[in-house]
């Protein structure tokens, strides 16, 4: 009985540790303008028009965001459950991150026969600045969900190569299909590594001779090509837009000025995204490949190959964005965990300590000392987020509208006037309308006497003050609410 309690308490400890970084205060930071707001509007419009094949933006088929809609479907489901809200937009990413942690633990226990290796790998993952971050687990973007499916696909493929069990092969194809239906070609970027590993492990010929390989491949192709084909039928021009946005156009040229050198992702990794632990990655590769234990050696070889191949692919692409490396973080965690687990095991086997005490605290003390500061920084980042100075003005209206949804600002019978691309603000206006508030957007060229107008942009405020007699009803920082009296002559 005592052993059983200890056994389950360690799972509760781990899940308690990861819940705060992954789920804590998901709604605190306003909707991000790139690209979360786009997905939020896509999901909102899908929930209204019930077109589950074609994503819409501002009433038109979205030909800029051409990703398949698996994430959007999940957001729509959560909107039906929780209402139109920031939580509904972000929960799929948070849950995907949680399931990725569960997957790492499952893999560690099933293949490596070690709970504590999985414990360490999960801690490394949830303390990674680049993983628990915007455009990953903390926002309603594709990358956390993509990472769940690419990680699952890779590990299931590896487990099939090791065990020859058919179920892992089918799970690999299912995860691959879901990865593509989440973020298009990004779901396929690990495939070269898997092909190389199949040759390396002498599993390539058995694989292509296996009838289940072709059954799984057929199912995967039917799901993916079926979606793309149907979307093109109902949304002509879609495939051309996909090519320009996601394939040759994005990889061969820098889209929207997102440039960077070959070492873009390496510099980002060591300076911000994994700064406390990045040196453990090469150490883990060396220790793992030198290990006398076959499972650790094979896992290290596979993880290193997957990491290196994916890293080279995104590094040679012309378009560089910080979140393109998010699918690498579970493998960074596995490789780094090899190093830490090596020291953990050495301390755990110390006979001197066990002769003096009933239990050996040293390995756990090591983990505490290594993770206490990174975890505290992650807790502060999640619970007390601070906008970058360059983003304060950009998201000022977002904070205002977030408070307005909570009733902290009067918005009944008031209209909002924005200039330019504002889906991050428009989503909150949809939220207000869903809560029965009479509000909406107005063009600044069609203001009328008696209108109550809220805006944050100086150009619009200047236009209103130069062309209308007004009363200022409310001021909150740069945000001003006017009541239009009459037009100046």
């Amino acid at each position: 009985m005592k052993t059983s309690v200890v056994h389950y308490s360690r799972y509760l400890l781990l899940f308690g540790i990861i819940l705060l970084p992954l789920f804590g205060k998901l709604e605190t930071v306003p909707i991000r303008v790139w690209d979360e707001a786009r997905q939020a509007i896509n999901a909102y419009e899908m929930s209204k028009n019930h077109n589950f094949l074609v994503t819409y933006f501002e009433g038109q088929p979205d030909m800029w965001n051409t990703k398949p809609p698996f994430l959007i479907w999940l957001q729509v489901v959560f909107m039906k459950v929780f209402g139109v809200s920031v939580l509904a937009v972000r929960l799929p990413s948070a849950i995907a991150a949680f399931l990725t942690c569960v997957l790492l633990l499952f893999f560690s226990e099933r293949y490596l026969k070690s709970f504590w290796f999985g414990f360490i790998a999960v801690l490394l993952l949830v303390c990674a600045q680049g993983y628990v971050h915007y455009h990953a687990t903390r926002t309603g973007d594709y990358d956390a969900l993509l990472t769940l499916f690419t990680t699952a696909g890779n590990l299931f493929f590896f487990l099939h190569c090791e065990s020859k069990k058919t179920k892992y092969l089918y799970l690999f194809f299912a995860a691959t299909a879901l990865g593509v239906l989440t973020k298009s070609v990004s779901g396929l970027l690990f495939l070269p590594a898997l092909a190389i590993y199949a040759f390396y492990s002498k599993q390539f010929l058995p694989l292509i001779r296996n009838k289940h390989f072709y059954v799984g491949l057929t199912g995967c192709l039917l799901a993916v090509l079926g979606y793309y084909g149907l979307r093109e039928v109902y949304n002509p021009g879609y495939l051309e837009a996909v090519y320009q946005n996601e394939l040759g156009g994005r990889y061969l040229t820098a889209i929207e000025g997102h440039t960077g050198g070959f070492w873009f992702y390496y510099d980002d990794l060591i300076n911000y995204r994994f700064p406390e632990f990045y040196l453990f990655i090469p150490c883990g590769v060396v220790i793992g490949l030198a290990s006398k234990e076959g499972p650790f050696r094979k896992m290290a070889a596979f993880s290193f190959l997957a990491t290196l191949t994916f890293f080279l692919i995104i590094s040679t692409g012309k378009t560089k964005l910080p979140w393109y490396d998010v699918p690498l973080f579970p493998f960074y965690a596995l490789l780094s965990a090899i190093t830490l687990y090596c020291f953990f095991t050495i301390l755990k086997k110390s006979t001197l300590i066990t002769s003096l005490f009933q239990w050996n605290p040293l390995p756990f003390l090591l983990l505490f000392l290594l993770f206490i500061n990174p975890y505290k920084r992650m807790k502060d980042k999640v619970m007390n987020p601070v906008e970058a100075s360059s983003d304060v003005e950009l998201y000022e209206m977002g904070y205002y509208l977030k408070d307005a949804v909570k009733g902290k600002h009067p918005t009944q019978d008031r209209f909002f006037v924005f200039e330019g691309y504002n889906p991050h603000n428009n989503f909150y206006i949809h939220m207000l309308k869903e809560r029965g508030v009479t509000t909406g957007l107005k063009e600044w060229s069609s203001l009328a006497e008696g209108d109550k107008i809220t805006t944050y942009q100086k150009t619009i405020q200047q236009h209103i003050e130069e062309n209308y007699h007004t009363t200022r009803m409310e001021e909150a920082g740069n945000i001003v609410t006017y009541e239009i009296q009459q037009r100046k002559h």
Side-chain angles (χ1 to χ4, degrees):
M1 181 66 179
K2 183 178 179 180
T3 303
S4 178
V5 170
V6 172
H7 176 77
Y8 288 110
S9 63
R10 60 187 187 177
Y11 291 98
L12 293 176
L13 172 64
L14 180 59
F15 291 145
I17 289 171
I18 67 177
L19 285 178
L20 187 144
L22 300 186
F23 293 95
K25 292 195 174 182
L26 276 177
E27 297 182 276
T28 297
V29 175
I31 290 282
R32 305 284 96 180
V33 62
W34 306 108
D35 297 315
E36 181 183 34
R38 193 91 179 190
Q39 280 88 255
I41 298 294
N42 289 158
Y44 175 75
E45 296 201 17
M46 184 178 285
S47 73
K48 294 300 179 183
N49 64 25
H50 300 111
N51 187 330
F52 297 103
L53 187 66
V54 180
T55 53
Y56 277 71
F57 182 78
E58 295 182 348
Q60 299 296 322
D62 196 342
M63 302 296 272
W64 182 83
N65 177 22
T66 51
K67 306 292 189 299
F70 189 76
L71 170 68
I72 309 302
W73 292 339
L74 295 179
Q75 291 173 331
V76 170
V77 169
F78 283 115
M79 284 184 184
K80 296 298 183 183
V81 175
F82 298 107
V84 179
S85 63
V86 177
L87 182 65
V89 172
R90 292 177 175 168
L91 263 180
S93 295
I95 292 172
F98 178 80
L99 293 177
T100 303
C101 293
V102 172
L103 183 63
L104 292 185
L105 189 62
F106 163 82
F107 174 76
S108 300
E109 292 199 304
R110 179 61 59 92
Y111 180 68
L112 301 175
K113 311 300 181 185
S114 172
F115 167 84
W116 290 110
F117 182 91
F119 186 97
I120 293 169
V122 169
L123 280 182
L124 285 161
L125 188 59
V126 300
C127 287
Q129 294 289 334
Y131 182 68
V132 182
H133 194 54
Y134 304 149
H135 233 295
T137 72
R138 297 292 299 173
T139 52
D141 292 289
Y142 298 105
D143 304 274
L145 192 63
L146 170 70
T147 299
L148 168 64
F149 294 134
T150 55
T151 305
N154 287 348
L155 295 182
F156 288 139
F157 183 86
F158 176 79
L159 288 173
H160 172 73
C161 289
E162 291 299 297
S163 68
K164 314 301 184 295
K165 291 184 178 178
T166 301
K167 66 177 181 179
Y168 291 129
L169 189 59
Y170 283 119
L171 287 171
F172 157 69
F173 281 115
T176 301
L178 291 172
V180 176
L181 291 175
T182 297
K183 203 179 180 186
S184 187
V185 70
S186 297
L188 303 175
L189 294 187
F190 281 104
L191 291 188
L194 302 188
I196 295 170
Y197 186 78
F199 276 107
Y200 167 79
S201 61
K202 299 180 181 180
Q203 294 302 313
F204 186 79
L205 288 178
L207 196 62
I208 62 174
R209 291 170 179 167
N210 187 339
K211 67 177 182 180
H212 297 288
F213 174 84
Y214 296 99
V215 173
L217 177 62
T218 301
C220 180
L221 290 175
L222 284 174
V224 171
L225 298 181
Y227 172 77
Y228 278 94
L230 282 173
R231 176 75 180 259
E232 177 66 21
V233 169
Y234 289 96
N235 182 193
Y238 171 70
L239 292 180
E240 174 62 23
V242 169
Y243 174 78
Q244 293 299 329
N245 292 341
E246 302 173 26
L247 301 175
R250 183 171 293 266
Y251 192 78
L252 299 177
T253 59
I255 298 295
E256 298 167 354
H258 297 300
T259 60
F262 180 83
W263 298 107
F264 177 89
Y265 296 104
Y266 172 79
D267 292 337
D268 217 20
L269 178 74
I270 66 175
N271 292 319
Y272 177 72
R273 296 174 74 77
F274 208 49
E276 298 95 345
F277 306 112
Y278 74 92
L279 287 175
F280 292 142
I281 298 172
C283 293
V285 173
V286 173
I287 294 171
L289 294 179
S291 175
K292 294 180 180 179
E293 298 184 45
F296 279 91
R297 186 173 61 254
K298 293 177 182 179
M299 183 272 292
F302 178 81
S303 298
F304 174 62
L305 180 60
T307 301
L308 180 63
T309 306
F310 190 98
F311 187 89
L312 288 174
I313 290 172
I314 61 174
S315 295
T316 53
K318 296 300 182 182
T319 300
K320 298 289 199 306
L321 286 165
W323 51 86
Y324 282 2
D325 69 351
V326 172
L328 286 172
F329 277 88
F331 295 97
Y332 289 154
L334 286 173
L335 291 171
S336 300
I338 295 173
T339 304
L340 297 184
Y341 186 70
C342 177
F343 290 107
F344 179 89
T345 304
I346 291 170
L347 292 175
K348 194 174 182 182
K349 292 179 179 178
S350 172
T351 56
L352 175 62
I353 297 300
T354 52
S355 66
L356 297 175
F357 302 97
Q358 290 186 335
W359 71 289
N360 182 359
L362 285 183
F364 306 101
L365 180 62
L366 171 68
L367 296 184
F368 178 82
L369 293 176
L370 282 172
F371 285 103
I372 184 61
N373 284 329
Y375 188 82
K376 182 179 183 300
R377 280 194 287 273
M378 186 60 70
K379 179 185 75 69
D380 292 341
K381 172 182 173 179
V382 167
M383 303 304 287
N384 303 293
V386 177
E387 292 287 357
S389 58
S390 59
D391 289 339
V392 170
E393 185 175 345
L394 176 63
Y395 291 111
E396 185 176 17
M397 178 58 83
Y399 283 101
Y400 177 93
L401 288 167
K402 183 168 72 75
D403 288 340
V405 171
K406 298 177 181 178
K408 295 181 180 180
H409 297 288
T411 52
Q412 183 68 29
D413 297 321
R414 297 187 182 185
F415 295 92
F416 294 86
V417 180
F418 304 137
E419 181 182 41
Y421 188 74
N422 275 273
H424 55 309
N425 294 326
N426 296 348
F427 182 72
Y428 285 100
I429 295 171
H430 289 310
M431 288 175 61
L432 287 167
K433 293 166 76 173
E434 287 293 313
R435 286 156 176 75
V437 178
T438 303
T439 186
L441 296 172
K442 265 214 165 188
E443 294 292 332
W444 63 340
S445 59
S446 61
L447 303 181
E449 184 177 330
D451 283 347
K452 297 172 183 177
I453 301 298
T454 300
T455 184
Y456 72 103
Q457 293 166 314
K458 296 296 184 183
T459 53
I460 298 176
Q461 292 171 6
Q462 183 178 354
H463 169 82
I464 290 174
E465 291 173 4
E466 288 178 352
N467 292 278
Y468 298 91
H469 294 290
T470 65
T471 300
R472 289 196 174 208
M473 302 179 65
E474 182 187 22
E475 293 185 47
N478 292 313
I479 301 166
V480 181
T481 300
Y482 300 93
E483 183 174 3
I484 306 296
Q485 303 297 334
Q486 62 183 43
R487 191 175 184 90
K488 292 180 180 179
H489 298 293

